[in-house]
């Protein structure tokens, strides 16, 4: 029995209609990135390829650009570039999910998709975000097509979680290892440490607690959200989004962060053993709660939420007044090569390239590429020789620069309050920029580092200007969908 009544849906539709009219003609709507049709979007959920079709589900509040009661939105694609908006997949209409159909994942077995998500329920009095007062139930759904639900059941009710945790246990991600199924869940333990819980199953329907997969030290924050695990031929990868890390000179500067350990699993004790430091997946301003999936050709693909879990007071997102907020990053392919995680934009997006410009230049002081489409473009710079520094000026007032040691992404007023992010890179030879109307994603050294940011230019220039002292080759395309 649904607990969202007719009045809820009438008000919901009326609010969406209003938002749609605000959104129409907004030049900051993205061109080839996925964004909410109306309202608010956060985490990618249940990303999967099933019978050839790619499905992207996501945390979605269609009737409010500032967030609220979350549903699962749904988009599909045949080619990972052109997406179609589908009906809402899940709504918070049951007693065990009434305050939000929170994040989760998809797992394909035989001819069915098994989804797992967190049913969020709030009880009066829980506003300290720590201890009692909410339920986060783990729910299992079976679907034969990705559009309709054939079976739905709470598989781990909140009261069955182990002792020693706050009520914050959520975001199930399921994987298979040697014929057994495993689920990782993020959590906040009573000692204010982040932990990843492991459950196991032989049939995907009943789940047993296997123990703590990984426990954080104090400096690793108080809560870990959205865990994800996968194996590669090289190392195993454990991704999660810790809250409460301290910013260092060049790292962990966002309110909340997302990153990974490379390591291996001791399957006898069912624990993850990190063999690297915890590294950020993205060093820009807008990235959180990513999720990966393996597509039918065996690629490991990641989508991140190109937004912040918690926005800093100095940043106010100007699209809220236009009826929507946030987007997904471009999908990226992940690989581990020589012990290093690489992230590259999905190859399919090369099909959008138009009007190629290829040139080799010697910059001494200043050089301009004129008559460029400033709104949606791709730029690949290969640095042959660097003098003191090189800076690249694009969009309205965004500046990328490198001085032989530090790469910087700096916003002007079109960053709406955000200033600068920096990365220490010893030998930077390649800067790959993908710019949409109101976003920029930068891949350094063929995917060693990525920086994603939203940006809101009002009067774009049709030049890309280079300043400094360097020899470089430039490849540039307009991107048209
Ligand atoms: C991460 C997150 C998840 C939760 C969801 C709710 O951004 O807080 O932990 O499931 O968003 O929308």
């Amino acid at each position: 029995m649904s607990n969202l009544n007719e009045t809820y849906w009438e008000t919901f539709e009326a609010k969406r209609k209003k938002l749609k009219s605000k959104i129409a003609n907004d030049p900051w709507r993205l061109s080839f990135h996925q964004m909410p049709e109306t309202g608010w979007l956060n985490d990618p959920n249940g990303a999967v390829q099933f019978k050839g079709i790619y499905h992207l589900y996501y945390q979605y509040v269609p009737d409010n650009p500032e967030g609220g009661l979350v549903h699962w939105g749904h988009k599909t694609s045949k080619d990972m570039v052109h997406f179609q908006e589908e009906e809402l997949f899940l709504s918070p209409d049951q007693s065990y999910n009434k305050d939000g159909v929170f994040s989760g994942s998809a797992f394909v077995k035989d001819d069915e998709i098994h989804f797992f998500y967190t049913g969020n329920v709030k009880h009066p009095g829980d506003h300290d975000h720590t201890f009692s007062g909410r339920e986060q139930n783990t729910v299992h759904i079976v679907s034969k097509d990705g559009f309709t639900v054939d079976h739905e059941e709470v598989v781990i009710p909140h009261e069955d979680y182990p002792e020693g945790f706050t009520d914050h246990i959520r975001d199930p991600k399921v994987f298979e290892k040697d014929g057994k199924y495993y689920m990782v869940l993020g959590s906040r333990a009573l000692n204010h440490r982040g932990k990843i819980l492991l459950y196991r199953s032989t049939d995907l329907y009943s789940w047993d607690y296997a123990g703590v997969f990984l426990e954080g030290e104090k400096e690793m924050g108080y809560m870990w959200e959205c865990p994800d695990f996968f194996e590669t031929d090289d190392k195993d990868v454990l991704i999660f989004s810790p809250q409460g890390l301290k910013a260092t000179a060049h790292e962990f500067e966002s309110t909340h962060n997302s990153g990974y350990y490379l390591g291996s699993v001791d399957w006898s004790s069912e624990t993850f053993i990190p063999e690297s430091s915890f590294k950020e997946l993205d060093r820009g301003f807008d990235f959180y709660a990513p999720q990966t999936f393996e597509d039918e050709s065996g690629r490991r693909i990641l989508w991140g939420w190109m937004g912040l879990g918690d926005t800093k007071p100095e940043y106010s997102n100007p699209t809220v007044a236009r009826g929507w907020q946030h987007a997904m990053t471009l999908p990226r392919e992940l690989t581990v090569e020589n012990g290093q995680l690489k992230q590259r934009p999905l190859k399919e997006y090369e099909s959008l390239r138009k009007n190629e410009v290829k040139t080799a230049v010697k910059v001494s002081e200043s050089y301009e590429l004129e008559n460029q489409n400033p709104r949606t473009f791709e730029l690949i710079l290969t640095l042959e020789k660097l003098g003191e520094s090189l800076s690249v000026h694009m969009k309205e007032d965004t500046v990328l620069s490198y001085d032989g040691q530090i790469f910087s992404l700096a916003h002007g007023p079109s960053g709406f309050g955000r200033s600068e992010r920096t990365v220490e890179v010893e030998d930077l030879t390649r800067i790959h920029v993908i710019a949409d109307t109101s976003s920029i994603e930068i891949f350094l050294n063929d995917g060693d580092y990525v920086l994603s940011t939203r940006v809101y230019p009002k009067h774009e220039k049709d030049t890309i200007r280079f300043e400094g002292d360097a020899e470089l080759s430039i490849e540039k395309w307009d991107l048209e969908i």
Side-chain angles (χ1 to χ4, degrees):
M1 239 270 293
S2 171
N3 61 15
L4 295 180
N5 59 24
E6 239 170 74
T7 324
Y8 171 84
W9 288 113
E10 274 167 24
T11 321
F12 176 92
E13 284 309 330
K15 286 195 206 155
R16 287 201 75 186
K17 213 167 150 199
K18 271 201 189 145
L19 294 176
K20 267 192 190 145
S21 65
K22 281 192 185 175
I23 285 168
N25 307 321
D26 177 4
W28 287 329
R29 290 291 280 174
L30 292 150
S31 150
F32 51 89
H33 282 80
Q34 301 317 307
M35 59 188 162
E37 198 180 51
T38 56
W40 160 284
L41 163 157
N42 59 295
D43 315 355
N45 294 151
V48 72
Q49 187 181 19
F50 184 65
K51 300 188 176 171
I53 305 287
Y54 289 98
H55 296 260
L56 169 65
Y57 306 85
Y58 48 93
Q59 294 285 284
Y60 188 22
V61 186
D63 58 342
N64 189 343
E66 293 185 281
L69 190 58
V70 268
H71 303 244
W72 272 32
H74 185 194
K75 295 174 195 270
T76 54
S77 174
K78 289 190 177 129
D79 61 5
M80 279 304 267
V81 177
H82 302 87
F83 281 80
Q84 183 173 322
E85 185 80 13
E86 306 290 353
E87 297 283 303
L88 289 176
F89 182 57
L90 300 174
S91 290
D93 53 10
Q94 302 295 324
S95 56
Y96 51 80
N97 66 19
K98 73 176 187 51
D99 294 303
V101 187
F102 273 18
S103 283
S105 57
F107 181 82
V108 174
K109 188 183 164 232
D110 303 328
D111 268 348
E112 293 173 325
I113 314 181
H114 296 257
F115 295 93
F116 296 87
Y117 74 85
T118 299
N120 185 48
V121 178
K122 282 189 195 161
H123 293 304
D126 167 43
H127 296 297
D128 63 355
H129 285 269
T130 50
F131 301 105
S132 62
R134 69 162 74 202
E135 300 173 13
Q136 301 209 310
N137 303 296
T138 300
V139 186
H140 175 208
I141 281 182
V142 186
S143 171
K144 290 196 169 48
D145 56 11
F147 299 93
T148 47
V149 173
D150 298 300
H151 169 90
E152 174 159 2
E153 178 190 14
V154 176
V155 282
I156 315 173
H158 70 105
E159 61 271 17
D160 285 3
Y161 291 126
E163 300 277 295
F165 291 86
T166 68
D167 291 336
H168 294 268
I169 297 184
R170 57 174 170 266
D171 309 333
K173 178 89 203 284
V174 167
F175 58 92
E176 185 175 358
K177 171 75 185 169
D178 297 338
K180 282 194 207 134
Y181 306 108
Y182 290 93
M183 176 195 292
V184 279
L185 283 161
S187 78
R188 173 176 187 152
L190 281 178
N191 63 359
H192 302 290
R193 302 271 175 93
K195 290 189 188 182
I196 291 174
L197 280 65
L198 188 74
Y199 279 75
R200 67 171 112 71
S201 171
T202 50
D203 61 3
L204 296 166
Y205 287 80
S206 75
W207 292 87
D208 295 320
Y209 180 54
V212 172
F213 196 49
L214 182 68
E215 170 167 3
E217 297 296 324
K218 193 165 183 285
E219 62 276 9
M220 280 305 296
Y222 56 82
M223 167 80 202
W224 291 357
E225 296 189 316
C226 301
D228 196 346
F229 171 84
F230 59 91
E231 294 180 301
T232 70
D233 292 341
D234 192 330
K235 295 279 178 207
D236 296 342
V237 184
L238 182 66
I239 292 177
F240 57 94
S241 294
Q243 303 188 330
L245 300 196
K246 278 215 176 75
T248 61
H250 306 285
E251 282 179 285
F252 309 118
E253 292 180 88
S254 289
T255 313
H256 299 320
N257 302 277
S258 299
Y260 63 94
Y261 283 116
L262 299 182
S264 57
V265 177
D266 173 354
W267 287 107
S268 60
S269 62
E270 294 172 320
T271 51
F272 182 84
I273 300 152
E275 289 162 15
S276 73
S277 59
F278 184 73
K279 298 202 175 113
E280 268 183 287
L281 275 160
D282 195 295
R283 308 282 286 265
F285 293 92
D286 293 281
F287 187 86
Y288 193 64
Q291 182 172 96
T292 73
F293 71 105
E294 190 182 318
D295 78 352
E296 288 173 348
S297 66
R299 295 182 300 177
R300 179 60 55 174
I301 298 173
L302 173 144
W303 258 300
W305 170 28
M306 194 158 51
L308 276 181
D310 215 349
T311 49
K312 290 201 167 154
E314 61 270 25
Y315 170 56
S316 65
N317 190 324
T319 64
V320 172
R322 299 172 181 211
W324 67 290
Q325 181 165 209
H326 300 313
M328 291 303 162
T329 61
L330 217 62
R332 307 172 183 170
E333 184 176 350
L334 302 194
T335 53
V336 178
E337 295 168 23
N338 306 318
Q340 155 91 39
L341 185 86
K342 291 268 194 188
Q343 305 181 71
R344 300 185 177 97
L346 218 61
K347 270 237 165 293
E348 283 89 325
Y349 284 81
E350 291 176 10
S351 66
L352 303 184
R353 292 174 173 175
K354 300 271 149 52
N355 308 328
E356 181 174 89
V357 176
K358 274 195 180 178
T359 176
V361 297
K362 202 168 169 181
V363 179
S364 51
E365 289 188 8
S366 186
Y367 171 82
E368 280 194 359
L369 271 185
E370 288 172 345
N371 301 320
Q372 299 303 314
N373 165 7
R375 283 171 58 76
T376 53
F377 65 85
E378 180 172 359
L379 180 70
I380 299 179
L381 306 177
T382 311
L383 270 174
E384 314 286 358
K385 213 168 167 191
L386 181 74
E388 259 189 21
S389 67
L390 172 73
S391 64
V392 191
H393 302 243
M394 59 182 61
K395 294 224 163 248
E396 193 164 279
D397 45 27
T398 304
V399 186
L400 317 187
S401 58
Y402 183 59
D403 65 3
Q405 264 184 324
I406 307 290
F407 176 85
S408 145
L409 155 68
H411 279 301
S414 67
F416 276 73
R418 281 96 58 84
S419 49
E420 189 184 19
R421 284 293 150 89
T422 49
V423 184
E424 233 179 319
V425 202
E426 226 167 71
D427 185 16
L428 181 61
T429 52
R430 194 170 191 268
I431 304 174
H432 184 172
V433 177
I434 299 192
D436 202 335
T437 49
S438 59
S439 74
I440 302 177
E441 283 153 288
I442 305 157
F443 297 81
L444 300 181
N445 279 355
D446 196 22
D448 284 353
Y449 303 97
V450 190
L451 298 92
S452 301
T453 189
R454 299 297 303 281
V455 61
Y456 308 97
K458 290 196 184 111
H459 310 286
E460 288 179 274
K461 304 189 177 99
D462 65 354
T463 53
I464 297 174
R465 198 172 78 252
F466 300 83
E467 282 180 8
D469 167 17
E471 281 176 35
L472 61 150
S473 65
I474 302 173
E475 292 164 275
K476 148 89 186 30
W477 299 264
D478 297 338
L479 294 177
E480 288 173 17
I481 193 154

